[in-house]
Amino acid sequence: MQRKSILLLISGGIAAYKSAELIRLLRKAGVGVTCVLTKGGAQFVTPLTLGALSENKVYTDLFDLKDEVEMGHIQLSRATDMIIVCPASADILAKMAAGIADDLATTILLATDKPVIVAPAMNVRMWQHAATRRNVAQLRADGVTIIEPDVGEMACGEFGPGRLPEPAALLTHVLAALAGDSADALAGQPDFADDNVDALDGRHILITAGPTHEAIDPVRYIANKSSGKQGFAIAAAAADAGANVTLVAGPVNLPTPPGVTRIDVTSAREMAATVEKALPADVAIMVAAVADWRAAAIAPTKIKKDGSGIIPPLPLTQNPDILAGLASSPQRPGLLIGFAAETDNVIAHAQAKLARKGCDWIIANDVAADPMGGEVNRVHIITANGVESWDRLSKSAVARAIIAKIAEILPGME
Ligand code: CTP
């Protein structure tokens, strides 16, 4: 790639610290970076840090006459391949949508003829506010590319969408955009725009998430590495889209997304009973990594070494298959979706699972490539009509795309 350069506009927000790492990664990838720091951004990172990392002058004030002589704001906005606003606060999004130019960053954004990418980061309520939804929709209509925020825990302790993606994920977006001619940097992403809002209004969506723990004795259990992040992200995206969400969660350490009814369970049998009680549902999405087997009998007291050196046997028995049970239930949800975490022959195994379980979709992912518990997923949607493979995305982007796909087909199923 011919040496490219970007203009990085850093607005206010705790996530501004991630822009420092993004600069380092961009420089390592051979991309020239010039930073513009807003007044808000300067509360969180210093020009000194940005200057040292970018090895470039950092611009902070529109009315610095010396700078205007050396490099006017119009020239600054054009002498670059692309503009990235990262993090983009609710305030700068609003100004961009309204065409307000009252400081250097917003003036550059109004004056530029180059592609613009924004990476919003803010509190979940601010991100979900009708005003921000409007502004984001306007920016998309104006041709601005939006890197969707991740779902997760906020600096303020709330949970939901609004978190700036990790610098490595941001780098992937920026490099993809620089490599392609098109301003549509996220062409490989499924279409999940923000029009999910209200798309599932009034629908009941039942979701399982996380692992199950199967007791052996009062202190030991059988478990797996599921973190629950993908299921929780789907629950958050479904609630965002207006659904009534019941989230049956195995033992995980995650806060409840806003607007979601969460029921905590421990074992597969508890999960199965809770799912049954939560019916009827329009859609069920079984994301949980349910333990296939449990101890045939739970020892009432701690199993002790008896000194003989003989390892105690651990007879196992089969757990109920919650997904297959739903598929054959008289209350089968209209759309029944299973997940499949596979380490080999991902698509073939998932296709066999679709038939075996009697569900409508299997969403398969390769846990050899993206180990359980990580932040990203590359999924394949397997249906009777074929296989749709998506790019590797953050779990929240996967969640939004799944919800968008559900919202698209649900009306036609009635
Ligand atoms: N599942 C379930 N109840 C079980 C086991 C699995 O509801 N007892 C669901 C999972 O939530 C997931 C799907 O079935 O949606 C596939 O889970 P997976 O563990 O991959 O399937 P298994 O049938 O256990 O197949 P494998 O032989 O690969 O373990």
Side-chain angles (χ1 to χ4, degrees), residues 132-155:
T132 306
R133 309 315 308 150
R134 254 193 333 267
N135 292 334
V136 169
Q138 183 61 56
L139 290 174
R140 277 191 216 277
D142 295 346
V144 171
T145 299
I146 312 282
I147 299 178
E148 289 277 332
D150 275 353
V151 172
E153 203 162 356
M154 308 268 146

Side-chain angles (χ1 to χ4, degrees), residues 178-266:
L178 284 172
D181 298 339
S182 112
D184 185 4
L186 310 183
Q189 284 200 9
D191 182 19
F192 51 75
D194 44 302
D195 318 326
N196 281 352
V197 181
D198 297 341
L200 295 179
D201 227 354
R203 305 282 193 165
H204 181 210
I205 310 251
L206 174 59
I207 298 168
T208 62
T212 62
H213 286 181
E214 310 298 332
I216 296 170
D217 69 15
V219 297
R220 302 184 178 93
Y221 57 82
I222 301 168
N224 61 63
K225 292 184 177 173
S226 170
S227 64
K229 284 180 200 162
Q230 186 64 80
F232 272 59
I234 294 171
D240 261 1
N244 298 324
V245 182
T246 306
L247 173 63
V248 183
V252 294
N253 188 17
L254 293 172
T256 310
V260 167
T261 304
R262 171 182 181 167
I263 307 169
D264 285 320
V265 298
T266 305

Side-chain angles (χ1 to χ4, degrees), residues 208 268 271 285-293 318-324 337-342 349 353 356-357 362:
T208 62
M271 188 175 271
I285 314 172
M286 303 287 99
V287 197
V290 184
D292 290 313
W293 305 285
Q318 189 80 31
N319 264 332
D321 189 318
I322 305 168
L323 178 59
I337 302 174
F339 264 69
E342 307 287 352
H349 279 318
K353 221 164 254 185
R356 194 168 72 235
K357 303 256 181 178
I362 284 279

Side-chain angles (χ1 to χ4, degrees), residues 37-268:
L37 190 59
T38 69
K39 229 166 144 184
Q43 303 292 317
F44 295 92
V45 283
T46 67
L48 202 62
T49 307
L50 302 177
L53 288 168
S54 65
E55 298 172 271
N56 230 333
K57 178 170 172 52
V58 176
Y59 295 84
T60 53
D61 192 342
L62 178 57
F63 301 107
D64 184 329
L65 286 179
K66 186 164 167 290
D67 282 351
E68 279 292 313
V69 171
E70 283 173 8
M71 169 82 108
H73 60 275
I74 304 287
Q75 200 189 342
L76 197 56
S77 76
R78 310 271 168 88
T80 183
D81 291 298
M82 188 167 285
I83 297 184
I84 324 285
V85 188
C86 175
S89 62
D91 178 61
I92 204 165
L93 292 180
K95 284 180 179 165
M96 287 174 76
I100 293 171
D102 64 352
D103 64 2
L104 180 58
T106 47
T107 306
I108 287 171
L109 285 162
L110 206 57
T112 192
D113 57 357
K114 293 296 189 296
V116 177
I117 298 182
V118 305
M122 65 199 69
N123 165 272
V124 55
R125 301 277 171 211
M126 293 170 77
W127 175 246
Q128 289 171 336
H129 193 283
T132 306
R133 309 315 308 150
R134 254 193 333 267
N135 292 334
V136 169
Q138 183 61 56
L139 290 174
R140 277 191 216 277
D142 295 346
V144 171
T145 299
I146 312 282
I147 299 178
E148 289 277 332
D150 275 353
V151 172
E153 203 162 356
M154 308 268 146
C156 54
E158 285 186 65
F159 184 88
R163 238 171 54 147
L164 190 68
E166 291 308 313
L170 295 169
L171 177 76
T172 309
H173 287 309
V174 175
L175 293 183
L178 284 172
D181 298 339
S182 112
D184 185 4
L186 310 183
Q189 284 200 9
D191 182 19
F192 51 75
D194 44 302
D195 318 326
N196 281 352
V197 181
D198 297 341
L200 295 179
D201 227 354
R203 305 282 193 165
H204 181 210
I205 310 251
L206 174 59
I207 298 168
T208 62
T212 62
H213 286 181
E214 310 298 332
I216 296 170
D217 69 15
V219 297
R220 302 184 178 93
Y221 57 82
I222 301 168
N224 61 63
K225 292 184 177 173
S226 170
S227 64
K229 284 180 200 162
Q230 186 64 80
F232 272 59
I234 294 171
D240 261 1
N244 298 324
V245 182
T246 306
L247 173 63
V248 183
V252 294
N253 188 17
L254 293 172
T256 310
V260 167
T261 304
R262 171 182 181 167
I263 307 169
D264 285 320
V265 298
T266 305
S267 68

